[in-house]
C-alpha cells in the first residue's frame, strides 16, 4: 500500500520539490496530495512532474489560515487517511520592528504558527485513532536562534518549536512521530515572497539613522548568505526522505551535515551573551563582505 502524504505550500520551493520527488518515486511508494493556497499556481508543479504521475499525485487547494479549506482538502483524500503530514507553508517578514503594522505581524503568526497548528489539528484525531502517523514540519534555524530584523519571523518559528516539541512528548504514546526539518538558507521563492521593508520605503522615514544603517548591513549580509551559502531544495528533500524512511525518526533534523556553529553556540552557552555578540559580529561588523 502506498503511503499517503499531504504537503502544504506546494506551489513553489521546498514543498514543490518534495511533492515532485515523492510523486516521482521510482518504486511508487507514495500517493502525494500536494496542496496550495492558490490553484492558479499549479502549472509549475505540473510541469515538474510532466503529467506522468496521475496515480501518485493529486493537487488540492488549501489555505492554512482557513479552517474550512483545510477540512475541505482533508475530505478530498480518497484513501480517507494521511500517513505523513508535511506542514511546510510559511512566509517571512523582514524590517525594523517599529514600522511593522499589527496586521502584517498578525498575518505572519496566522500563516506560520496558527496555520501549522490548525493543519495538525485537522489530522490529529484520525492519526491517534489509527495509532500511527508522521508529522513533518519545515523548521528554520531562525526558530532556534534570533536574527535581527526578523523578530516576528523568528517568534513564529520559535513558537513552532515549542508546539511541536510539546506534541512530540504526547504523541509518542500514539506511535505518531513529529519531526522538524531545520533549514538554513534555501534557494526558493522565499526571499521574493517574503514581506520586506525596502530601504526606499516611506515608512523608514520614522526610523532613526543608526537602525537604518544597521538594516542596510543586514540586507547585504542576507543577500550574500543567500548567494553563497544557500542550499538547493533537493538537499532539503533528501533530509525529508531520511526522516520519512527512518523507522524511528528523530525529533530534529538539520539539513547540513554538521549543526551550524551559531545554533550550537546558542545550545551550549545558555546564558545567551556569546550567541548575541557572535551573531552581531557576523552580521554587522563585516566591512569586507
Ligand atoms: P516559498 O515561498 O517558495 O514557499 C512557501 C510556500 O508557502 C509558497 O508556495 C506559498 O504560496 C505557501 N503559502 C504561503 N501562505 C500560505 C497559506 N496561507 N496557505 C498555504 N500555503 C501558503 O519558500 P520556501 O523556502 O519553500 O518555504 C517553505 C518553508 O520553509 C517555510 O515554512 C519557510 O519558513 C521555511 N524555511 C525557508 C528557508 C529559506 O531560506 N528558503 C529557510 C528556513 C525555513
Amino acid at each position: 500500500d502506498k503511503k499517503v502524504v499531504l504537503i502544504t505550500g506546494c506551489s513553489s520551493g521546498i514543498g514543490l520539490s518534495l511533492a515532485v520527488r515523492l510523486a516521482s518515486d521510482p518504486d511508487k511508494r507514495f500517493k502525494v496530495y500536494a496542496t496550495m493556497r492558490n490553484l492558479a499556481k499549479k502549472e509549475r508543479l505540473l510541469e515538474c512532474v510532466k503529467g506522468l504521475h496521475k496515480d501518485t499525485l493529486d493537487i488540492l487547494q488549501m489555505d492554512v489560515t482557513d479552517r474550512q479549506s483545510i477540512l475541505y482538502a482533508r475530505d478530498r483524500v480518497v484513501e480517507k487517511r494521511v500517513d505523513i503530514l508535511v506542514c511546510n507553508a510559511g512566509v517571512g517578514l523582514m524590517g525594523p520592528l517599529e514600522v511593522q503594522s499589527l496586521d502584517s505581524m498578525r498575518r505572519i503568526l496566522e500563516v506560520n504558527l496558527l496555520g501549522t497548528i490548525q493543519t495538525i489539528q485537522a489530522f490529529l484525531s484520525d492519526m491517534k485513532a489509527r495509532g500511527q502517523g508522521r508529522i513533518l514540519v519545515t523548521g528554520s534555524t531562525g526558530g532556534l536562534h534570533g536574527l535581527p530584523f526578523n523578530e516576528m519571523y523568528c517568534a513564529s518559528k520559535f513558537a513552532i518549536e515549542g508546539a511541536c516539541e510539546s506534541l512530540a512528548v504526547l504523541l509518542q504514546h500514539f506511535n505518531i512521530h513529529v519531526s522538524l526539518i531545520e533549514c538554513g538558507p534555501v534557494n526558493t521563492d522565499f526571499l521574493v515572497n517574503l514581506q520586506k521593508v525596502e530601504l526606499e520605503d516611506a515608512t523608514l522615514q520614522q526610523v532613526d539613522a543608526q537602525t537604518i544603517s544597521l538594516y542596510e548591513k543586514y540586507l547585504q549580509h542576507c543577500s550574500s548568505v543567500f548567494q553563497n551559502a544557500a542550499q538547493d531544495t533537493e538537499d532539503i528533500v533528501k533530509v525529508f526522505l531520511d526522516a520519512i524512511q527512518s523507522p524511528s525518526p528523530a525529533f530534529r533534523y538539520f539539513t547540513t551535515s554538521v549543526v551550524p556553529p551559531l545554533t550550537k553556540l546558542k545550545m551550549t552557552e545558555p546564558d545567551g551573551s556569546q550567541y548575541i555578540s557572535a551573531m552581531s559580529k557576523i552580521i554587522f561588523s563585516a566591512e569586507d563582505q
Side-chain angles (χ1 to χ4, degrees), residues 8-17 35-38 41 44 61-66 69 87-92 107 110-112 115-116 137-143 153 156-157 160 181-194 226 230-231 233 236 240:
T8 66
C10 290
S11 61
S12 60
I14 298 167
L16 182 144
S17 282
T35 73
M36 55 186 73
R37 182 183 35 182
N38 181 1
K41 293 192 179 161
R44 197 157 151 193
Q61 196 274 337
M62 189 197 284
D63 178 343
V64 299
T65 64
D66 176 353
S69 123
C87 296
N88 165 76
V91 285
R107 173 90 199 134
E110 240 154 52
V111 177
N112 293 4
T116 301
V137 178
T138 311
S140 170
T141 49
Y153 178 72
S156 73
K157 294 292 186 183
I160 298 257
I181 313 299
E182 312 285 15
C183 306
V186 188
N187 277 316
T188 65
D189 289 354
F190 187 76
L191 283 187
V192 179
N193 289 338
L194 69 67
F226 269 87
Q231 289 184 284
T233 55
I236 310 302
F240 270 96

Side-chain angles (χ1 to χ4, degrees), residues 37 53 110 147 207 227-228:
R37 182 183 35 182
H53 306 285
E110 240 154 52
L147 297 166
V207 177
Q227 261 165 43
N228 304 322

Side-chain angles (χ1 to χ4, degrees), residues 126-179:
D126 181 59
M127 283 185 176
K128 279 181 169 173
R130 288 188 299 110
Q132 60 179 344
R134 300 275 175 111
I135 299 171
L136 288 94
V137 178
T138 311
S140 170
T141 49
L144 300 169
H145 54 68
L147 297 166
F149 301 110
N150 284 273
E151 291 78 8
M152 291 308 297
Y153 178 72
C154 288
S156 73
K157 294 292 186 183
F158 267 64
I160 298 257
E161 296 281 323
C164 289
E165 197 168 274
S166 305
L167 263 177
V169 177
L170 175 73
L171 293 184
Q172 62 173 358
H173 295 279
F174 295 87
N175 190 32
I176 301 169
H177 299 276
V178 182
S179 298

